Amino acid sequence: SSGINAEYGVKGGAVETLQCGTCITLQDKGIDRETFESINNCCLVFDGRLVIDTNCRTNDPLIYGAGPLTKYKRALYCDDHVHEVYSSGEVAERLAHIILPLFDPSFPTPAPIETYEIPKLVKPKTVFAILPGGYHYLHVARPQPLVDLETAMLDPNYGRELITGDKDSGYFRLHLNQYHSVETVTCLAKSAFDVSNICQLYGLHQQFMNSLEERFDSGLISDFFAYFKEPWSLLLYHDRFSELRSEIMELLCQPNQPGEESLSEKVCQMVDEDLTVEEKTKTALLQEYSTSLAKTAVENRLFSYLSYNKYHLPHYAGQNMA
């Protein structure tokens, strides 16, 4: 016997105790009576959850709230945008930026948000657990209201799924959206895997992952766990890689000559008109890029990044070797 005692209510209000080896509860998350009474006794507005504004303030200006216990006030018409669907770390970080200036005047005050402007939270929601049977489970997804998979796949802009393995050999699923970027990562394996590294795959375009789609469709990838441990992938997990991508994007947004459209603007315009770009148009864009100032700037920035981080990324060729 494991000594676990589970108490549950039965008809008539009685409580019974059941001795068990494993207890799994599947009831919906809610607010218990003690929490509700505490909120109500403080004269705070409660509408199924604690009501807050876009700056995490309740109707009492000295009381702040954040997390799955809260919801935005109805005047914002955003019932789906509850903190529960967002990254708890990002929610906590935003609340800290709001509260810290109250205690430390030297701390920079965040830019004010309009009363009816919902804060933009973009970090993925991550769930990790060790399940019965010793299975390690990881799910990384775009923050959004929960939708069952079958319904989501009916959307014409859903994208595609790339899957390797199964629950015995190690299940690894990547969902690429219509822009060929990773929108969901799901892993299930009996052996432990590097959670922090796999989480870094979220939001990356498939080209960053060594032409992932082309290699997968050609049958060159049989195990994503092994694939993302290969030496080429070290760059994806580097803590400054996101900064490098942002800097390269800024370089691509700069035109060759004042008054001209940048390459980034041209691509965005094409995608807005038609998500499927013809091959001749791609060829023309590549030709324009090869003769642009952006190409030289991007290459110089990349080589500078590799040179500065050569002790962490020794597998990549530098400027003198390329």
Side-chain angles (χ1 to χ4, degrees), residues 40-287:
N40 190 56
N41 291 339
C42 291
C43 300
L44 301 178
V45 177
F46 184 86
D47 182 15
R49 302 172 190 244
L50 177 64
V51 176
I52 59 174
D53 64 13
T54 54
N55 290 307
C56 297
R57 292 176 301 192
T58 64
N59 56 299
D60 185 329
L62 298 180
I63 299 179
Y64 290 76
L69 177 67
T70 64
K71 65 175 292 187
Y72 291 119
K73 56 186 180 182
R74 294 198 178 209
L76 299 175
Y77 295 96
C78 59
D79 289 343
D80 290 336
H81 293 270
V82 291
H83 285 176
E84 186 176 14
V85 305
Y86 296 107
S87 164
S88 58
E90 188 175 19
V91 171
E93 183 178 348
R94 182 172 183 275
L95 179 62
H97 278 278
I98 293 173
I99 292 179
L100 277 178
L102 303 177
F103 300 95
D104 185 359
S106 66
F107 194 84
T109 303
I113 296 178
E114 296 293 334
T115 306
Y116 293 98
E117 182 182 349
I118 304 301
K120 187 176 181 181
L121 303 175
V122 298
K123 291 185 179 180
K125 186 171 179 64
T126 303
V127 177
F128 173 74
I130 299 179
L131 304 178
Y135 287 98
H136 294 72
Y137 171 79
L138 172 68
H139 185 69
V140 185
R142 178 168 64 95
Q144 62 181 353
L146 186 62
V147 179
D148 66 88
L149 183 59
E150 291 184 357
T151 302
M153 294 181 70
L154 295 176
D155 187 338
N157 294 325
Y158 176 75
R160 63 177 298 195
E161 295 180 337
L162 309 180
I163 300 174
T164 64
D166 54 30
K167 65 180 181 63
D168 296 318
S169 61
Y171 175 85
F172 200 126
R173 170 183 171 269
L174 289 174
H175 165 215
L176 306 183
N177 61 21
Q178 69 269 37
Y179 303 112
H180 305 278
S181 296
V182 176
E183 190 162 294
T184 308
V185 182
T186 306
C187 300
L188 180 69
K190 278 209 166 185
S191 58
F193 48 81
D194 197 322
V195 174
S196 60
N197 280 357
I198 293 178
C199 288
Q200 300 303 314
L201 302 179
Y202 174 82
L204 293 182
H205 191 275
Q206 63 93 18
Q207 287 288 359
F208 281 117
M209 296 176 282
N210 209 6
S211 301
L212 178 72
E213 284 189 278
E214 182 179 349
R215 291 175 180 273
F216 183 85
D217 293 337
S218 300
L220 299 177
I221 303 175
S222 58
D223 182 358
F224 278 140
F225 286 107
Y227 182 71
F228 289 114
K229 287 182 180 178
E230 294 177 0
W232 66 266
S233 65
L234 289 179
L235 181 65
L236 306 181
Y237 316 131
H238 194 261
D239 57 358
R240 300 188 189 95
F241 182 52
S242 59
E243 297 177 10
L244 174 65
R245 301 201 315 268
S246 298
E247 292 172 1
I248 289 177
M249 181 58 67
E250 290 179 7
L251 293 174
L252 293 175
C253 290
Q254 297 176 3
N256 273 343
Q257 299 293 335
E260 291 184 359
E261 279 189 323
S262 67
L263 282 172
S264 178
E265 290 173 332
K266 291 180 180 179
V267 172
C268 289
Q269 183 177 355
M270 291 178 184
V271 172
D272 287 339
E273 295 173 355
D274 187 357
L275 192 57
T276 304
V277 180
E278 296 181 357
E279 286 299 324
K280 62 179 181 180
T281 305
K282 291 181 182 179
T283 303
L285 280 173
L286 289 173
Q287 180 64 32

